[in-house]
Amino acid sequence: MSNKYISNGFFLILLLNATLMFLGILFYFLGSTYLEKYDIKNQLIFIVTISILFHLNSFFMTIFRIKNFLGQITFFQFIIPFLTLLSALFLEGKTLLYTLISIYLLGHLISFFIFTKSNLIKITLKKIIDKNILLIIIKKGIFLFLFNFTFQLLLISIRSIVGLFFSVNEFGVFSFSFQVSNSILLLFEGFIFLIFPKIIDKFITGSNLPSIKLINDISICYSVAISLTVYLSLIFFPFAISIYPKYNDALLGLNIASIAILFQSKLMGFNAFLISKNKEKLIFTYTFLALILNIIIGLIIVLILKLSFNWIYLSLIFTYFFLSICYSYSTFKILKNNYSLIEAIKHSTNYKMILPVFSAFFVFNNNYHNFNLLLFLPFLLFVILNLKEIFKMFRLIVVFLNNPDILKINSN
């Protein structure tokens, strides 16, 4: 049965890649002013190939994850970022561009070879299509797909706004700040990648009170860890930028994007619970509304307020705040019959989180490029206000370290 689901899932991935190839051919022959602006037509065939391999490798990675084979996953997630870092340190200009494209193509090809040669995945080429299984996968996955797709559009939409209304150089600076700020999440995403199936399983099998405790524990541990990392990064960013003065214009964007990550961290735990309760349609609806809100705020920032591209990240902050209210309201409404929208708003506007954020924006507007004690204000304020939560986070980490089996992914 497992092989049947894998084979039919693979068939759906092939359909997705066929669609991607069609769009690539369409763009190549019909052209696009947006593509011409960035002069990528000659690289389009490589970009489409990389995207196809990415979908295949992501599909294989999911299967390896469920079956507890993490060595191949580690290689897949390590090889491209590592080679990209080396290239960015020593190359520049078009040489860097062509090298990066080659790295992505080579990294995905090698990963594809490792996945397919492992003998772990058995795809039946004969009678691969089972209509009943396809319908089950599509029925179960369509709203989850729409949710994931729409959530990614939150990030793509602000990049598109910057790409449309600002110069190529400004878009490059924006992309730099975007990628660096999001690197803060890499360590935590690796951890969440491992425990997410276990969290889903606990929500499905647990009763209300354990679920409430688990949500609170996840929310505290995840948001506190990210907050400490972000506020320490705000101290470090000016020193890092001083080494590369040409990126001075990216500093403000780095700061605001990092603050947006704090609000995104508040979503963790709630999305897992709602998925476990088959509420994919609901979270898709929330995310779709958030996407519209994100675009509207982004356009207001650019067209009406006429702020610089760095301030586009404010739209993400408001959007994640909106989602936090929606997710927490729906989650606790299921667990507590008398939970109200006012309580959800209070939960998302915790002063222990908001005050350090305000202090961070205060620092941004006070000669942030130069060293002064104000750099430490957001971090110290967060630590003082959240001592209890920080100690709880470390206690939870000790529990994980003492009982590694809690992170084991069940394959049955």
Side-chain angles (χ1 to χ4, degrees), residues 9 47 146 258 293:
I47 295 173
L146 290 173
S258 299
L293 177 65

Side-chain angles (χ1 to χ4, degrees), residues 28-44:
Y28 184 84
F29 287 103
L30 298 183
S32 167
T33 55
Y34 184 82
L35 292 180
E36 290 172 359
K37 178 180 179 180
Y38 293 96
D39 190 27
I40 65 170
K41 187 175 181 180
N42 293 332
Q43 288 79 45
L44 193 59

Side-chain angles (χ1 to χ4, degrees), residues 12-13 15-17 19-20 23 54-55 136-154 156 275 278-285 287-288 291 327:
L12 292 175
I13 293 294
L15 291 181
L16 174 64
N17 284 337
T19 304
L20 189 60
L23 292 176
F54 171 77
H55 290 146
I136 290 174
I137 295 175
I138 293 172
K139 184 179 178 180
K140 290 286 186 182
I142 186 64
F143 285 108
L144 188 58
F145 156 72
L146 290 173
F147 157 67
N148 285 321
F149 177 69
T150 308
F151 196 87
Q152 290 301 316
L153 284 180
L154 292 176
I156 294 173
I275 290 172
N278 298 315
K279 299 295 182 181
E280 294 90 354
K281 184 177 181 179
L282 179 64
I283 58 176
F284 159 66
T285 302
T287 311
F288 181 75
L291 175 62
Y327 284 8

Side-chain angles (χ1 to χ4, degrees), residues 7 22 38 82 148 166 201 238-239 268 311 322 352 394 399 401:
S7 297
F22 172 77
Y38 293 96
F82 175 71
N148 285 321
F166 294 91
D201 182 65
F239 299 99
M268 184 57 199
W311 292 97
F322 168 77
K352 293 183 178 182
F394 283 115
V399 171
L401 292 176

Side-chain angles (χ1 to χ4, degrees), residues 42-91:
N42 293 332
Q43 288 79 45
L44 193 59
I45 185 173
F46 300 106
I47 295 173
V48 171
T49 303
I50 291 168
S51 299
I52 290 172
L53 289 170
F54 171 77
H55 290 146
L56 291 170
N57 286 334
S58 297
F59 174 74
F60 295 147
M61 181 177 65
T62 302
I63 300 170
F64 276 68
R65 173 191 185 189
I66 296 300
K67 295 179 179 292
N68 297 317
F69 285 81
L70 302 181
Q72 295 87 343
I73 295 176
T74 301
F75 177 84
F76 172 54
Q77 294 185 327
F78 168 79
I79 184 63
I80 294 176
F82 175 71
L83 294 178
T84 298
L85 175 62
L86 290 181
S87 301
L89 291 176
F90 300 106
L91 303 174

